Amino acid sequence: MKNSKIWLLALLVFAWACSGEKTTETTAPEVVIKPYPAFNADSAYAFVQKQVDFGPRVPGTKGHANTKAWMISSLEKYGWDVKTQDFQAKTYDGLTWNLSNVIASYNPQATKRILLAAHWDTRRIADKDTERLNEPIDGANDGGSGVAVLMEIARVIGGQEIKPEVGIDLIFFDGEDDGEPEMTRTPNNSQIWWCHGSQYWSKNKHVPNYSAYFGILVDLVGGKNARFYREGYSRKYASGILTKVWGNASQLGHSGFFIQQDAPEILDDHVFVNEWAKIPMIDIIEFSPEMGFGHYHHTHRDNMELIDSRTLQAVGETVLFTVYQE
């Protein structure tokens, strides 16, 4: 009888141990998604149209001045702290341009900050076109789409009761798209004529000792049937952020836009933010590993007929979601 009781007790202990092991094996950590607001693609599309209606945003033109005034007044209306960073830069053909980075900050006291950026100028020549090569382009996608995505993010955050827990800085870089013409570009040129705004800001930050947890650059993010690949410098300097953002896009159902395939390194504003400002920044940009830039790039085909609200939605929602999960 005594042996039977001992045997029964052993069985109960074994059953309890197995039950405990089973619970441990099947329990997975819960992924908590923080609440985030909706990104309005129609509003972003209207922001692209607004910029195109101003005309080409070539530095020194009326379209450039009007766009700057519109950005500043709109961002202030959305409740962001706005400042400009005025500077001069030499162009590839010997001009001196007066340029201006527009910087908007939300929750400026927060120590953990996310940096979102785009360029707001447009190219003064259509050097990849077959006609009107010396006329400025509309820049609906190249310039306009990135600005529109950030302006919509600023509008959404400014009007929401649910706010991100981090500080956010939007930087609209000027003078990005005025590199030397395609037909005269020479290899191994030590002078970089592109990305004047990010070059200046990376050496003259708007806040002394400014830093950010990470950055996201959006460029060429509104074209029809756009595909975004894992750009080379983004992999080199910010691979963890790249994995996070592409994963978020997949979670939101945008994996058809954000492709899990590597692309070459591209000279863009994020290069200087990474190398000079020492802030890990990725570039969401339409550039195919096989085809390179789209057929519209630096041509007059970069107009409103190219813009698709579905692409703006995929990029804008992914960036907004990423910010709210920090």
Side-chain angles (χ1 to χ4, degrees), residues 43-58 61-68 70-71 74 118-122 137-152 172-173 221 302 304 307 312:
S43 177
Y45 185 94
F47 286 149
V48 180
Q49 183 71 68
K50 182 76 172 179
Q51 295 170 81
V52 172
D53 288 345
F54 283 132
R57 282 82 68 203
V58 177
T61 66
K62 183 178 180 181
H64 187 264
N66 288 343
T67 301
K68 176 183 175 181
W70 165 73
M71 288 194 300
S74 298
H119 77 89
W120 68 278
D121 62 302
T122 54
I137 65 173
D138 285 350
N141 199 28
D142 195 356
S145 63
V147 170
V149 164
L150 297 194
M151 292 295 289
E152 175 58 12
F172 301 86
F173 291 123
V221 290
D302 187 358
M304 287 305 299
I307 302 301
L312 295 170

Side-chain angles (χ1 to χ4, degrees), residues 174-193:
D174 201 359
E176 185 271 352
D177 218 357
D178 196 59
E180 61 271 34
E182 188 77 15
M183 65 288 294
T184 63
R185 200 170 304 161
T186 57
N188 301 320
N189 189 343
S190 60
Q191 176 64 53
I192 299 175
W193 301 108

Side-chain angles (χ1 to χ4, degrees), residues 238-297:
S239 60
I241 309 305
L242 190 68
T243 299
K244 176 189 294 188
V245 172
W246 260 243
N248 288 343
S250 178
Q251 185 173 350
L252 294 168
H254 300 314
S255 57
F257 291 91
F258 288 78
I259 310 302
Q260 295 287 358
Q261 182 179 343
D262 293 346
E265 297 174 340
I266 301 170
L267 178 63
D268 206 349
D269 287 316
H270 70 307
V271 174
F272 305 99
V273 175
N274 277 297
E275 294 186 350
W276 295 359
K278 305 302 181 184
I279 296 172
M281 173 177 269
I282 67 168
D283 192 5
I284 302 176
I285 186 170
E286 183 184 3
F287 186 90
S288 166
E290 293 81 22
M291 304 299 294
F293 289 111
H295 69 283
Y296 60 85
H297 188 245

Side-chain angles (χ1 to χ4, degrees), residues 9 18 24 38 117 125 144 162 164 171 183 187 266 268:
L9 180 61
C18 290
T24 301
I125 54 176
I162 301 174
I171 303 186
M183 65 288 294
I266 301 170
D268 206 349

